[in-house]
Amino acid sequence: MPTINDVARAAGVSPSTVSYVLSGRRPISAQTRERVQAAIAELGFHPHAGARALASSKTNVLALVAPLRLDVNVPVIMQFATAVVTASRTHNHDVLLLTKDEGTAGLERVANSTMVDALILMDVEREDVRLPALRRLKQPSVLIGLPNDPLGIACVDLDFAAAAGEALRHLAWHGHRKIALVGPSPAVYRRGTTYAERFLTGFTEASESLGLRTLAHPCEPDVEGVRACLDDIDAQLPGATALVVHNEESLRPLLDLLRARGKRVPEDISIVAICPRDVAINMPLPLTSVDIPAHDVGGLAVETAMRLLDGRSIESVRLLPPTLVERESCSPPR
């Protein structure tokens, strides 16, 4: 492999001049810069990433912290990760993916080793233990989520409270008055995961303002968990004519169990799902849904990190408005 000395000899300059052209830390004449760049192209020289980082104090790497806990939906998490990677490449950055649930230890290890320029964090909790550590780091951080106290840290996400209101208003427009929420697993609520809490708050507030009879129920996303959830809904809100499902993994067993119980969608019960578009349209019946815009949220997180690195102004909290798409799972109640 060619070295910086090979480039210097080919361009007729010193190795330090090649280094300055690469780092931009000293002014170099246009003619000299062109000779060096031509030599780099001719030899196929690729500077070592560590050397670039030392020279420029930048690594061109972002950390994405996405703990893969037992109760997270990995395919949805990977949609966010893909969005972050794609957006980062447009800014000439790579992504270091951290999936181990290790609290602040992993953050401090990565930040103190100067491996990354900025951090993007997912699975944010109400009283997230990582926040004090993030405020101490020299690298900027962006949360995909909204904790109770986001002071000093940028946050981006879907407006989950508004998403709940959008779903209920749509069902109320169809004439439904008794509506149940099939929520995430109990563990998600116990951890204080903010997207689930914000959605539940929005659901409760919209229900009150619309004068609806509603029930919110957590749901384990396997067949037995969904069966127990539906049994409880039948017992506690008999005659419910619609479901809001904020639990992507429960959708398929939910549809299977409703069919086994002789309940047709949407003739006997309507459904609004809160999920990525591809999940909604690939169900046995294309579902009316409020999209979880992983592409937009991931891209916004990266753009916010880039603005922070460039010293540009940002909105400290950006919540994207929800979009509901009508498909085939909603109709007026019988």
Side-chain angles (χ1 to χ4, degrees):
M1 293 179 62
T3 67
I4 194 169
N5 291 326
D6 297 327
V7 173
R9 279 193 295 271
V13 298
S14 67
S16 61
T17 299
V18 177
S19 178
Y20 294 143
V21 169
L22 291 170
S23 69
R25 298 187 69 178
R26 286 193 183 180
I28 301 294
S29 71
Q31 184 179 19
T32 301
R33 181 180 298 278
E34 289 172 3
R35 290 209 316 273
V36 170
Q37 290 172 339
I40 288 173
E42 181 181 352
L43 295 172
F45 173 68
H46 297 285
H48 186 270
R52 289 200 308 269
L54 288 172
S56 65
S57 299
K58 289 183 63 177
T59 65
N60 281 62
V61 176
L62 302 180
L64 175 61
V65 184
L68 297 184
R69 300 183 173 110
L70 291 176
D71 52 15
V72 303
N73 188 331
V74 175
V76 174
I77 292 291
M78 288 301 104
Q79 288 194 18
F80 283 93
T82 300
V84 168
V85 170
T86 302
S88 297
R89 289 310 308 150
T90 66
H91 294 278
N92 196 34
H93 275 64
D94 293 311
V95 175
L96 175 65
L97 180 60
L98 305 176
T99 60
K100 188 175 180 180
D101 184 10
E102 52 185 340
T104 62
L107 303 180
E108 292 173 339
R109 183 183 67 253
V110 169
N112 292 337
S113 64
T114 65
M115 295 171 63
V116 300
D117 296 330
L119 300 94
I120 297 173
L121 292 87
M122 297 185 62
D123 204 35
V124 177
E125 298 175 3
R126 179 197 327 114
E127 304 294 341
D128 203 299
V129 298
R130 301 172 294 182
L131 297 187
L134 292 176
R135 294 186 178 109
R136 292 193 301 267
L137 299 180
K138 64 180 181 180
Q139 294 94 334
S141 301
V142 180
L143 303 182
I144 297 180
L146 182 62
N148 276 359
D149 181 17
L151 181 65
I153 301 176
C155 302
V156 302
D157 207 355
L158 172 67
D159 189 336
F160 278 96
E166 190 78 7
L168 280 183
R169 281 189 295 273
H170 183 76
L171 290 168
W173 177 80
H174 273 292
H176 296 277
R177 311 303 298 172
K178 298 175 75 173
I179 304 168
L181 168 63
V182 177
S185 71
V188 171
Y189 288 113
R190 284 196 299 270
R191 287 208 319 272
T193 309
T194 63
Y195 73 83
E197 291 194 344
R198 286 184 284 131
F199 190 91
L200 180 58
T201 298
F203 183 87
T204 302
E205 291 176 351
S207 172
E208 292 174 356
S209 68
L210 294 167
L212 305 175
R213 291 185 61 190
T214 58
L215 171 71
H217 200 293
C219 181
E220 296 287 358
D222 54 20
V223 173
E224 290 307 313
V226 175
R227 180 180 287 113
C229 180
L230 290 177
D231 289 343
D232 287 346
I233 290 171
D234 286 342
Q236 298 174 39
L237 190 66
T241 60
L243 300 174
V244 176
V245 184
H246 187 203
N247 187 326
E248 303 93 343
E249 291 180 289
S250 73
L251 283 169
R252 193 169 292 273
L254 176 80
L255 293 172
D256 291 342
L257 285 168
L258 288 174
R259 185 172 60 252
R261 295 180 180 198
K263 289 189 175 182
R264 298 167 298 164
V265 179
E267 292 86 354
D268 301 314
I269 191 161
S270 290
I271 294 176
V272 175
I274 315 300
C275 64
R277 176 182 177 276
D278 65 296
V279 174
I281 65 177
N282 286 312
M283 287 293 126
L285 178 77
L287 300 177
T288 295
S289 69
V290 177
D291 184 28
I292 294 180
H295 176 80
D296 294 339
V297 173
L300 180 57
V302 172
E303 179 61 32
T304 302
M306 292 299 113
R307 293 184 69 89
L308 289 168
L309 287 170
D310 293 340
R312 292 180 285 165
S313 62
I314 63 164
E315 292 183 51
S316 57
V317 175
R318 285 280 306 275
L319 298 180
L320 300 182
T323 300
L324 185 143
V325 178
E326 177 81 271
R327 295 191 180 92
E328 300 177 26
S329 61
C330 291
S331 68
R334 297 180 67 184

